[in-house]
Amino acid sequence: MPHRPDPAELQTVLDDIATRMAGEAERGEVASYIPELARVPLNRFGMAVAPLDGPPIIAGDAEVPFSIQSISKVFALVAALGHVGASLWRRVGREPSGDPFNSIVQLEAERGKPRNPFINPGAIVVSDVILENQPDETTQHPVLDLCQRLADAPDIAVDEDVFASEVATGDRNRALAYFMLAEGNIRGDVTEVTESYFRQCSIEMSCLQLATATRFLATEGEGPDAEIAGVTPERVRRLNALMMTCGCYDASGEVAFRIGLPCKSGVGGGLVAIVPGVGAIAAWSPGLDKKGNSVLAIKAIEELAHRLNWSVF
Ligand code: GLU
């Protein structure tokens, strides 16, 4: 059974982990392929837990906003499934890719149907679906809107410098989108679709906001958080299954082995993990390993999950 610590015990564990992460020498490298991300100091570390039955607990830089990058793919998937339901799976698969998140090779071999919604081409199809179903440009970005409502934080915003940096350097993502257009799996305008995708990746949130915004995934699909997300119990189970199998790029198996929880990472150094029935965890440290996952965020959540017996296995 997962341990359910009281707030004081959880605070002690988080503070202890944050102190030890501050002393870690091996921190990986900050992502540099999006130039704006390379400016984030390597020494940052934050962590937050949003339990289902108590107040959020935070440690370190847990209230510092950072670029959520691929973590946005979870919120985008929730929005797209809300629009088109299970028909989404005709255009996007549900298998781990085993390839880098922006790989083109697999997409060509599989005729433009991305392996899953958490690699870039899958997320670009998801953006296309959202745009098709929510085209009104007078409203703000639907993924931003969902993040704000789930975190109950209307000040969550897009970092316009990161967005501009992604647009300027996004040729590979546009190439993925054009390839899928040629295969009939993109219906909108490639520039609009990719810019919508870049915009959601450029949303800035803190660990506290991310843990709060993903807490609905720890419920059984019921309650106020799940209502905001518009999810059913079955959808929550399936989102968690996708996060467990595909949430950490081509290291998803390794992360499942080490942490044992559904997770989603981003190249901004964020990592969220869901403890079913207990709550959501978010950790952030900008240094990445070779597969694009945050070295210290993985280490910290691994330690937390071990200490509190939170693995689902
Ligand atoms: N905006 C990034 C890209 O498309 C997201 C990468 C990530 O976090 O996986 O390259």
Side-chain angles (χ1 to χ4, degrees):
M1 287 293 284
H3 181 53
R4 290 169 189 275
D6 63 33
E9 182 187 357
L10 190 52
Q11 185 70 64
T12 305
V13 176
L14 252 56
D15 286 343
D16 184 41
I17 293 174
T19 305
R20 286 188 317 103
M21 292 305 135
E24 283 283 341
E26 177 41 61
R27 309 180 84 88
E29 281 178 38
V30 178
S32 55
Y33 75 102
I34 299 171
E36 270 303 304
L37 293 182
R39 298 154 57 106
V40 182
L42 190 58
N43 63 0
R44 297 288 205 177
F45 174 82
M47 197 170 191
V49 176
L52 293 181
D53 60 357
I57 306 293
I58 62 175
D61 296 316
E63 291 180 281
V64 176
F66 60 89
S67 193
I68 67 170
Q69 292 296 320
S70 263
I71 300 173
S72 67
K73 292 170 182 168
V74 176
F75 303 111
L77 178 59
V78 168
L81 287 170
H83 286 303
V84 299
S87 70
L88 179 71
W89 306 120
R90 290 204 285 270
R91 296 175 61 185
V92 187
R94 307 187 290 251
E95 287 295 345
S97 69
D99 270 328
F101 60 92
N102 54 7
S103 167
I104 296 181
V105 176
Q106 195 168 58
L107 196 60
E108 177 160 26
E110 298 181 4
R111 305 297 307 267
K113 181 175 177 181
R115 275 282 174 101
N116 68 67
F118 294 154
I119 50 173
N120 288 11
I124 291 168
V125 171
V126 166
S127 292
D128 188 43
V129 168
I130 296 173
L131 273 179
E132 251 185 307
N133 288 279
Q134 217 164 322
D136 185 354
E137 284 155 18
T138 58
T139 58
Q140 71 170 340
H141 196 292
V143 176
L144 176 62
D145 183 65
L146 184 59
C147 291
Q148 289 179 344
R149 286 187 296 122
L150 282 168
D152 192 18
D155 55 323
I156 293 173
V158 167
D159 181 329
E160 293 295 337
D161 293 335
V162 171
F163 172 67
S165 196
E166 294 217 37
V167 172
T169 58
D171 288 333
R172 206 178 167 93
N173 284 316
R174 284 184 285 269
L176 291 166
Y178 274 115
F179 184 78
M180 293 190 289
L181 182 73
E183 293 286 349
N185 201 14
I186 290 290
R187 296 175 183 161
D189 173 80
V190 163
T191 303
E192 271 179 41
V193 171
T194 49
E195 290 196 359
S196 177
Y197 165 71
F198 294 141
R199 194 161 274 285
Q200 79 179 40
C201 289
S202 308
I203 293 172
E204 279 200 312
M205 289 169 77
S206 67
C207 289
L208 173 60
Q209 290 166 338
L210 268 177
T212 309
T214 51
R215 192 175 46 190
F216 73 96
L217 288 164
T219 70
E220 287 183 2
E222 282 152 9
D225 292 338
E227 209 164 291
I228 294 170
V231 289
T232 58
E234 181 182 68
R235 190 161 293 164
V236 165
R237 276 197 294 278
R238 290 179 160 172
L239 288 162
N240 277 296
L242 286 165
M243 288 171 73
M244 180 70 93
T245 51
C246 312
C248 290
Y249 314 118
D250 48 332
S252 299
E254 175 70 11
V255 173
F257 185 86
R258 286 177 60 186
I259 296 180
L261 294 172
C263 290
K264 183 73 201 86
S265 61
V267 295
L271 180 67
V272 298
I274 307 304
V275 193
V278 176
I281 311 166
W284 169 58
S285 181
L288 308 179
D289 61 23
K290 294 216 158 30
K291 301 248 167 116
N293 295 306
S294 166
V295 172
L296 291 192
I298 290 188
K299 204 169 201 168
I301 295 184
E302 179 181 25
E303 185 171 330
L304 182 66
H306 281 201
R307 280 170 73 162
L308 300 178
N309 198 27
W310 278 358
S311 164
V312 299
F313 298 111

